[in-house]
Amino acid sequence: MEFVNVIVDISSEQLDRVFLYRVPKVLQDRIQIGMQVQIPFGRSNRQRKGYVVGMPEEANYPLEKIKEISGIVKGSIKAESQLIALAAWMRENYGSTMNQALKTVLPVKQKTKQKQSRKLVFLLSKEEGRELLETYRKKHYQAKVRLLEALLEQGELDGKKAEEVCQVTSSVIQKMEQDGVLRVETATLYRNPFEGHFQRKTETLLLNPQQQQAVEGIWEDYQRGIRKTYLLHGVTGSGKTEVYMELIARVIRDQKQAIVLIPEIALTFQTVMRFYERFGERVSVIHSRLSDGERYDQFMRAKDGGIDVIIGPRSALFTPFPKLGMIIIDEEHESSYKSENVPRYHAREVALYRALLCRASVVLGSATPSLESYYKAEMGEYGYYELTKRVKDAKMSEVSIVDLRTELKEGNRSIFSRKLYSAMKDRMEKGQQMILFLNRRGLSGFVSCRSCGKAIRCPHCDVTLSLHNDGSLRCHYCGYEVQMPDACPSCGSRYISGFRAGTQQIEREVKRAFPKARVLRMDYDTTRTKESYEQILSAFGSREADVLVGTQMIVKGHDFPGVTLVGVLAADISLYANDYRAAERTFQLLTQAVGRAGRGDLPGEAVIQTYMPEHYSIQASSRQDYKDFYKREILYRRLMGYPPVHSMLGIYLSCASEELLEQQAQMLGSSITAEQMEGLTIIGPAEAALAKKNDIYRKVIYLKHKQKKKLLQIKDKLEKKMEQESVWQKVYVQFDFDPLNSY
Ligand code: ADP
Ligand code: ZN
Ligand code: ZN
């Protein structure tokens, strides 16, 4: 390559300051993206170091003015070099500018003042402290409880560490300071606050044979220098986390580091504590409540060898460890691993590439693996290990499926089938707990007219408005709000009503059927803050309610030993979603929901209500039979040419002018058609699922092909075209490979 783009300061916000250099002949074969190079810089031609971030084919700059690089910096390839190479790969594979890709992977130092280190000093006596703890517990101030417990134990805490380990926000600390519980001091000298707070566990659990098989199998490969990806398939509670920790312990002994990705919602205090107990101070946690500065600090600690393990959501993948040995992705099927910002990358795919660059192994864990991962395991591309039993040998629940069509035919118009009703009655009498699950948020969803059939929609976003308890109609995208009208805005008919069966509706119905029932509701509206979310969980956990009604957030990973009944009110709702992953998502949700029942000593039962009892995703989840589900689903994907069998590319267009958008979408569609690529399927252009958002119009084109390479070629061509034609400054285009959510 004759030319390279170089950036000089990668820790500044100005990543777009790229300089063009020429590569001397002798170095042209060796130069690579990510390499550190020595360059003459500025008027004085002072020697500086920079990183190669691109290799343009031609120079769009007067040739005689282009300087030559002086040399390649010797020494090991640094973490930054790998991350820059990773960014280049992401740019190429997901479609974005190099600048967008670099901003995603590089820890950027913000020009904000460094926070001073603070010390929290406990001001109460032990006695007073314990009394207050009781009060906090009664009121379910979970965050305050954790902080107070730590203060009682330690007397003093480092502020930042306390926020991280106790997972409290600075506002909680502030409130407790106002209440006279503690004093915040700016510490000059600070010692390690959690020393002794948790017991480092020296003896580890004896792994069961299946766990051992997984650990030894993966480790044998590792020691023989084989680096690949493994799928660890095991139900919740089957001991996956123990397998991860044993592998990490071995990686650390090998002087290397590990990244553990966990979906933010599952990043609980208990999980983090388990890692601290095992690995002590050399663990760090990243989560969305960290400021950019704090995140940057964590990354610098990782780079300087201050930690061995980092735990966090998607972005923890870009931790600049100098010798990364293993990447673990727990709950690998979770859609939160896919970024919805450009570059729209999937953490699983990027992890695989990062692992390739630095010779690390990847372990993917899940109870309901993504079709992608199981497909690759089946083809032999990934190693596969299965944990088939729960460690604590709790029995699986008994599951029944109820056909709601029959219920209606036989005169039952309530939202509870007779089967579910009698099971609920039984639990009420026995004083046992139950969960009612609905895959939908808001009160009663949309309002529609029984005369003309039209639903009331947001004028800006073209989605249906949701009816709330206070009689208002609201848009969940842009916040638009109107009062519920008396008559249909389209035809004037008075027969308009809400669509029944939202979580609030269910809560009311439960109270009507069982006036004595204590009901908690958990959905988007009741959990705006992290604290309210925890309050509901802990209140239910300490048996202050009989029934928990909620959307999908209640079925993710929480253990309630007192629950012996799970009711799924309308299993098909997620099947009606307008994308090809609807069945997969339904299977995952139902399997998780059914798994919530019977986690304690008592046997559990689940009742699934549905209008489509014969659907395989519902049948298979009722038996917790992943393999049967997979067999049928992969057939459908193969038949229809959907991922993971074929690759798919979403091209998303948006524009303020409807006409211009229409014209450009048509133009783009026909230019792709004109290519006459064999085996290519073009869908659209069509209106996006959300055809208008904040007054911007949106259209989509979907492409399918057996080979991803072909779709990448098309993407490259389109990117070039967009650079050359000025109209694309008005029509914004995003690329999305193997989309997870509809646009
Ligand atoms: P998963 O990550 O699959 O949900 P965990 O690793 O959290 O499973 O294990 C579930 C529970 O079983 C935890 O409380 C864990 O401490 C315990 N456990 C796991 N493996 C063993 C083992 N080999 N012996 C005893 N207890 C174990
Ligand atoms: Zn009407
Ligand atoms: Zn709106």
Side-chain angles (χ1 to χ4, degrees):
M1 280 293 167
E2 195 182 347
F3 301 105
V4 285
N5 291 323
V6 175
I7 46 173
V8 175
D9 184 3
I10 57 165
S11 70
S12 88
E13 286 168 78
Q14 294 183 313
L15 286 172
D16 33 5
R17 296 269 288 154
V18 176
F19 303 92
L20 186 68
Y21 281 84
R22 188 200 301 276
V23 185
K25 272 246 152 48
V26 288
L27 295 178
Q28 281 181 10
D29 287 341
R30 281 179 50 208
I31 197 86
Q32 276 177 21
I33 289 185
M35 277 181 169
Q36 224 184 351
V37 287
Q38 198 84 42
I39 47 169
F41 192 75
R43 285 228 188 90
S44 60
N45 280 331
R46 190 159 55 94
Q47 283 290 317
R48 289 192 67 170
K49 283 177 190 163
Y51 286 92
V52 177
V53 296
M55 302 196 197
E57 274 161 33
E58 54 206 59
N60 53 355
Y61 201 69
L63 283 179
E64 65 282 1
K65 286 194 185 160
I66 304 175
K67 299 177 197 169
E68 251 183 17
I69 63 169
S70 325
I72 296 171
V73 177
K74 284 218 180 76
S76 62
I77 300 259
K78 286 193 180 156
E80 274 94 350
S81 300
Q82 283 173 10
L83 289 174
I84 291 168
L86 192 64
W89 181 85
M90 286 167 71
R91 193 207 68 70
E92 180 61 34
N93 277 273
Y94 297 104
S96 73
T97 64
M98 188 61 188
N99 190 34
Q100 286 169 318
L102 285 170
K103 281 200 164 133
T104 308
V105 307
L106 288 177
V108 171
K109 195 175 194 166
Q110 299 275 325
K111 289 200 184 77
T112 48
K113 253 195 256 156
Q114 207 76 1
K115 269 197 195 146
Q116 270 176 314
S117 61
R118 294 159 302 150
K119 192 166 67 173
L120 311 185
V121 183
F122 190 41
L123 297 176
L124 306 179
S125 70
K126 287 243 162 171
E127 207 112 282
E128 291 169 323
R130 275 193 283 267
E131 242 167 62
L132 187 62
L133 191 62
E134 274 313 298
T135 319
Y136 282 173
R137 282 206 175 112
K138 282 211 188 91
K139 294 189 175 166
H140 307 292
Y141 294 159
Q142 287 309 101
K144 286 186 176 174
V145 165
R146 288 195 296 269
L147 185 57
L148 186 53
E149 275 175 344
L151 280 168
L152 269 166
E153 190 118 354
Q154 296 285 308
E156 262 176 39
L157 296 168
D158 170 68
K160 204 164 105 195
K161 257 287 153 86
E163 282 179 20
E164 188 183 314
V165 179
C166 299
Q167 297 208 0
V168 295
T169 57
S170 49
S171 77
V172 169
I173 295 176
Q174 220 174 14
K175 271 191 214 120
M176 286 172 71
E177 185 177 28
Q178 283 160 8
D179 294 343
V181 181
L182 57 84
R183 184 177 60 232
V184 180
E185 286 180 1
T186 309
T188 38
L189 233 180
Y190 69 89
R191 61 196 167 85
N192 185 349
F194 277 88
E195 224 162 286
H197 174 60
F198 52 86
Q199 289 290 312
R200 263 308 274 280
K201 283 193 180 152
T202 39
E203 84 247 40
T204 52
L205 292 170
L206 192 64
L207 298 182
N208 67 31
Q210 287 186 329
Q211 287 173 317
Q212 242 167 38
Q213 214 176 0
V215 169
E216 297 305 334
I218 294 169
W219 195 248
E220 205 182 291
D221 280 356
Y222 187 96
Q223 282 185 311
R224 285 168 47 203
I226 298 170
R227 298 290 184 272
K228 58 188 237 183
T229 303
Y230 306 87
L231 176 60
L232 184 61
H233 183 186
V235 294
T236 316
S238 61
K240 295 186 295 296
T241 308
E242 289 299 323
V243 171
Y244 306 151
M245 291 200 294
E246 179 56 32
L247 286 168
I248 292 169
R250 295 182 186 198
V251 166
I252 293 173
R253 255 178 268 146
D254 189 41
Q255 316 272 316
K256 298 228 167 92
Q257 302 93 33
I259 293 174
V260 183
L261 299 189
I262 294 180
E264 180 105 23
I265 194 161
L267 198 60
T268 60
F269 182 65
Q270 282 83 352
T271 316
V272 174
M273 216 52 195
R274 269 171 86 183
F275 279 87
Y276 271 102
E277 281 170 355
R278 181 88 181 246
F279 302 110
E281 284 306 305
R282 302 198 50 88
V283 176
S284 182
V285 183
I286 281 193
H287 51 80
S288 60
R289 291 192 307 288
L290 292 183
S291 68
D292 287 342
E294 288 169 318
R295 184 183 300 260
Y296 182 79
D297 286 350
Q298 296 304 319
F299 280 170
M300 289 308 106
R301 278 178 71 202
K303 189 181 145 194
D304 299 339
I307 49 175
D308 300 317
V309 186
I310 199 144
I311 306 173
R314 200 170 67 216
S315 62
L317 186 57
F318 306 115
T319 310
F321 276 128
K323 282 191 197 162
L324 185 62
M326 189 169 283
I327 302 174
I328 286 161
I329 306 185
D330 192 32
E331 312 277 1
E332 64 88 27
H333 62 275
E334 275 287 320
S335 59
S336 61
Y337 287 127
K338 175 94 193 270
S339 171
E340 296 296 330
N341 301 320
V342 175
R344 292 173 169 258
Y345 69 93
H346 197 299
R348 193 196 316 122
E349 295 163 356
V350 178
L352 260 61
Y353 192 72
R354 176 147 197 221
L356 192 74
L357 287 176
C358 57
R359 298 203 38 70
S361 303
V362 179
V363 179
L364 310 171
S366 176
T368 51
S370 62
L371 266 265
E372 276 73 11
S373 297
Y374 198 84
Y375 184 66
K376 293 209 164 121
E378 205 190 23
M379 312 276 278
E381 196 177 318
Y382 294 173
Y384 179 75
Y385 293 97
E386 207 175 353
L387 306 179
T388 49
K389 284 192 294 272
R390 282 186 187 157
V391 173
K392 287 170 184 162
D393 220 7
K395 285 218 182 64
M396 292 294 183
S397 322
E398 195 175 300
V399 186
S400 40
I401 300 176
V402 178
D403 189 341
L404 287 175
R405 294 171 302 192
T406 320
E407 289 293 310
L408 198 63
K409 239 186 263 162
E410 294 174 6
N412 177 15
R413 309 190 63 171
S414 129
I415 60 172
F416 305 122
S417 61
R418 288 160 294 179
K419 172 106 190 166
L420 182 57
Y421 179 84
S422 69
M424 288 168 69
K425 189 155 174 270
D426 174 67
R427 297 318 188 289
M428 287 301 297
E429 280 159 7
K430 289 183 181 147
Q432 295 172 1
Q433 289 181 296
M434 61 199 110
I435 288 177
L436 298 179
F437 169 51
L438 184 79
N439 184 16
R440 146 166 300 177
R441 75 183 189 205
L443 167 66
S444 42
F446 55 88
V447 168
S448 58
C449 168
R450 275 182 271 166
S451 302
C452 75
K454 284 201 177 122
I456 302 180
R457 304 174 86 82
C458 171
H460 309 292
C461 302
D462 201 30
V463 293
T464 52
L465 298 173
S466 299
L467 181 59
H468 284 247
N469 247 353
D470 58 3
S472 69
L473 288 167
R474 268 182 247 160
C475 170
H476 274 292
Y477 283 104
C478 75
Y480 174 82
E481 187 175 335
V482 281
Q483 276 303 304
M484 166 87 174
D486 297 328
C488 169
S490 299
C491 74
S493 160
R494 302 210 152 259
Y495 291 103
I496 53 170
S497 67
F499 178 81
R500 288 154 65 91
T503 42
Q504 294 187 17
Q505 168 90 19
I506 294 167
E507 185 183 8
R508 270 205 309 268
E509 294 291 321
V510 174
K511 283 181 177 154
R512 192 151 65 194
F514 305 100
K516 287 214 187 94
R518 297 165 302 164
V519 188
L520 279 171
R521 179 165 59 89
M522 185 171 214
D523 55 26
Y524 179 77
D525 291 321
T526 62
T527 55
R528 294 286 167 87
T529 67
K530 172 107 183 161
E531 266 165 67
S532 58
Y533 175 75
E534 286 183 353
Q535 256 170 41
I536 296 171
L537 285 180
S538 84
F540 191 61
S542 52
R543 293 185 169 238
E544 280 163 43
D546 309 297
V547 187
L548 177 62
V549 176
T551 53
Q552 50 263 45
M553 59 177 78
I554 60 175
V555 299
K556 302 227 157 135
H558 308 288
D559 249 338
F560 300 112
V563 171
T564 59
L565 173 67
V566 170
V568 180
L569 288 150
D572 343 72
I573 291 181
S574 48
L575 273 177
Y576 294 138
N578 56 355
D579 69 308
Y580 71 90
R581 288 177 197 263
E584 185 177 2
R585 209 169 302 124
T586 302
F587 176 80
Q588 287 163 355
L589 284 172
L590 292 184
T591 307
Q592 279 168 350
V594 167
R596 291 301 107 205
R599 300 300 286 272
D601 301 329
L602 296 166
E605 181 186 357
V607 178
I608 300 177
Q609 304 190 148
T610 170
Y611 291 95
M612 290 190 235
E614 61 286 341
H615 195 280
Y616 60 88
S617 67
I618 292 172
Q619 287 289 336
S621 63
S622 75
R623 283 178 276 112
Q624 307 258 307
D625 187 346
Y626 178 84
K627 284 174 190 169
D628 184 52
F629 165 74
Y630 173 82
K631 231 171 43 203
R632 291 155 186 269
E633 179 68 9
I634 202 75
L635 218 61
Y636 156 75
R637 304 279 177 100
R638 188 166 283 136
L639 197 70
M640 301 296 295
Y642 281 127
V645 182
H646 285 198
S647 280
M648 194 162 165
L649 171 61
I651 304 173
Y652 304 153
L653 300 94
S654 55
C655 180
S657 150
E658 199 173 5
E659 290 90 313
L660 185 61
L661 179 68
E662 173 66 25
Q663 176 198 319
Q664 289 308 105
Q666 289 300 342
M667 206 282 296
L668 211 61
S670 24
S671 82
I672 298 168
T673 313
E675 294 278 322
Q676 296 197 331
M677 185 181 279
E678 212 184 309
L680 180 74
T681 311
I682 307 176
I683 309 166
E687 274 195 353
L690 191 58
K692 189 179 173 193
K693 182 179 179 185
N694 281 326
D695 294 320
I696 302 289
Y697 295 89
R698 294 144 62 101
K699 281 189 179 293
V700 295
I701 301 174
Y702 287 105
L703 308 180
K704 293 191 292 191
H705 199 283
K706 245 186 199 143
Q707 292 171 282
K708 178 160 187 194
K709 213 172 58 197
K710 296 283 179 187
L711 296 181
L712 281 170
Q713 279 170 13
I714 294 177
K715 183 219 72 178
D716 288 347
K717 268 209 182 132
L718 295 181
E719 275 183 329
K720 273 230 177 81
K721 188 183 180 69
M722 280 153 204
E723 259 172 42
Q724 286 158 1
E725 303 171 0
S726 62
V727 61
W728 298 106
Q729 284 162 11
K730 291 197 192 120
V731 183
Y732 182 57
V733 176
Q734 294 177 51
F735 297 100
D736 192 359
F737 282 93
D738 295 356
L740 284 189
N741 297 311
S742 58
Y743 176 67

